Amino acid sequence: RFACRALKRRPAFAIIAIVTLALGIGLNTSMFSLANSLLLRPLPFPDVDRIARLYRATPDNQYGDFSAADYLSLKDEESSFGQFAAYQLSNATMDGVPGSMQWLLASAGMFDVLGVHPFLGRAYTAQDDRAGTRVAVISYRLWQAHFQGDPSVLGRVVRVNRHQVTIVGVAHPDFRGDIPGIAFDGWVPAPLAAERERDARHFR
């Protein structure tokens, strides 16, 4: 009762205290929810405990990226270690879709490594990794928002970054990629065969 009477006598202080508590509790709740989704919650893939991310460690950077040549060398050792996949982040634009989008240039092995299968159509194959082959798997969210969930989207040709790309699959609704905090709009084959420079390291 004493606290209530004191707050009633000083309404400005009471409002400031209530707003401060509300902001503090809300901010802490939001930060914990973000940390839980990014750091604590396991990725939604089968056998997630067997998935590892590799880095090219050097004296200057222990979390370095790989070149296409590095990745192709690792692929030669798949039988002794496991399956490998490589990817590169890319901002992209698609005709008819406003704004910039998040796409992933990824080797065909990524879908096999993560153990995921498209909701519709197919994932692209190792043959699609060849330079000049332009196919794509689009996200379920993009399929619903831009293509109205039309199953005939398979085989449709769209323009991504001014290149004609044929849609061959739609990702599962639960699959947004393997990078926490980023929901990708689509996946296209990485031009690994066209990039043989050992020093051009921009794949992960």
Side-chain angles (χ1 to χ4, degrees), residues 28 71 85 109 179:
N28 277 278
Y71 166 73
I179 303 177

Coordinates of all heavy atoms in Angstrom, one line a residue, residues 28 71 85 109 179:
N28 N 15.0 -8.3 -23.2 CA 15.7 -9.6 -22.8 C 15.0 -10.8 -23.4 O 15.6 -11.8 -23.8 CB 15.7 -9.6 -21.3 CG 16.9 -8.9 -20.7 OD1 18.0 -9.4 -20.6 ND2 16.6 -7.7 -20.3
Y71 N 37.8 -27.2 -52.9 CA 36.6 -28.0 -52.8 C 36.7 -29.3 -53.6 O 36.4 -30.4 -53.2 CB 35.3 -27.2 -53.1 CG 34.1 -28.1 -53.3 CD1 33.5 -28.7 -52.2 CD2 33.6 -28.4 -54.6 CE1 32.4 -29.5 -52.4 CE2 32.5 -29.2 -54.7 CZ 31.9 -29.7 -53.6 OH 30.8 -30.5 -53.8
A85 N 30.0 -30.5 -49.5 CA 29.3 -29.6 -50.2 C 29.9 -28.2 -50.0 O 30.5 -27.9 -49.0 CB 27.8 -29.5 -49.8
G109 N 25.7 -31.4 -54.0 CA 25.9 -32.3 -52.8 C 25.3 -31.7 -51.6 O 25.1 -32.4 -50.6
I179 N 22.1 -21.9 -42.6 CA 22.8 -20.8 -41.9 C 21.8 -20.1 -41.0 O 20.8 -19.5 -41.5 CB 23.3 -19.7 -42.9 CG1 24.3 -20.4 -43.9 CG2 24.0 -18.6 -42.2 CD1 24.8 -19.5 -45.0

